[in-house]
Amino acid sequence: MRTAVLASAAAVAALVAGCAGQQTSNNADDYSGEQKAVAQVIDDLAEAGMKGEAGDICNTLFTSELADALNQDNRNCRDAVSDQLEDASSFSLDVERIEVSGDTATAVVRSDFDGTEEPRTLRFQKVNDTWRIAGLGA
């Protein structure tokens, strides 16, 4: 289980890197209710990535479990995300669909990375009435 969380955390950190250098999108404008709240987290991720705000990503957008999974070998989440942001390639994030089920949600996000479009599924968990990114994948 720890290996799966760590792999998911690393993948989200890499996805964050793709946000850097791009103008942020307004995915939240296309949704309402809880779906809008989830889309806003994606928009916030893109904006924080563009600004290089690794600490904000770890502290306000990731679940504590996801952030903790990046803490290893005398490095923390902020270091891991910061490294990804420094090595960033340009691509954009566009939400294709969001599904909410109680306190969990998924969002299919399409990214154009070096000319290749790839859909990725972000997982979310509602923590104290706030949506947080819990991982990448099913």
Side-chain angles (χ1 to χ4, degrees), residues 99-122:
E99 295 179 12
V100 176
S101 178
D103 287 343
T104 63
T106 58
V108 175
V109 178
R110 183 163 292 277
S111 59
D112 180 4
F113 184 71
D114 290 339
T116 303
E117 288 196 13
E118 290 187 39
R120 300 173 191 255
T121 302
L122 284 171

Side-chain angles (χ1 to χ4, degrees), residues 13-24 45-53 57 81-93 112-113:
L15 180 63
V16 170
C19 301
Q22 294 291 321
Q23 184 175 15
T24 59
L45 174 67
E47 185 173 343
M50 184 180 71
K51 292 179 178 179
E53 297 173 340
I57 291 168
V81 172
S82 182
D83 286 350
Q84 291 295 322
L85 294 176
E86 288 174 13
D87 295 337
S89 296
S90 296
F91 68 94
S92 61
L93 298 175
D112 180 4
F113 184 71

Side-chain angles (χ1 to χ4, degrees), residues 1-9 123 136:
M1 179 69 164
R2 169 101 172 125
T3 303
V5 172
L6 181 59
S8 181
R123 292 182 295 108
L136 189 66

Side-chain angles (χ1 to χ4, degrees), residues 65-82:
E65 293 83 6
L66 183 61
D68 288 347
L70 291 170
N71 295 334
Q72 60 177 306
D73 299 328
N74 296 323
R75 296 178 47 81
N76 59 32
C77 179
R78 183 179 180 169
D79 294 336
V81 172
S82 182

Side-chain angles (χ1 to χ4, degrees), residues 11-53:
V12 172
L15 180 63
V16 170
C19 301
Q22 294 291 321
Q23 184 175 15
T24 59
S25 54
N26 293 314
N27 291 297
D29 291 346
D30 297 331
Y31 296 92
S32 62
E34 292 297 319
Q35 289 180 323
K36 181 180 186 84
V38 170
Q40 185 62 56
V41 174
I42 296 167
D43 291 345
D44 292 347
L45 174 67
E47 185 173 343
M50 184 180 71
K51 292 179 178 179
E53 297 173 340

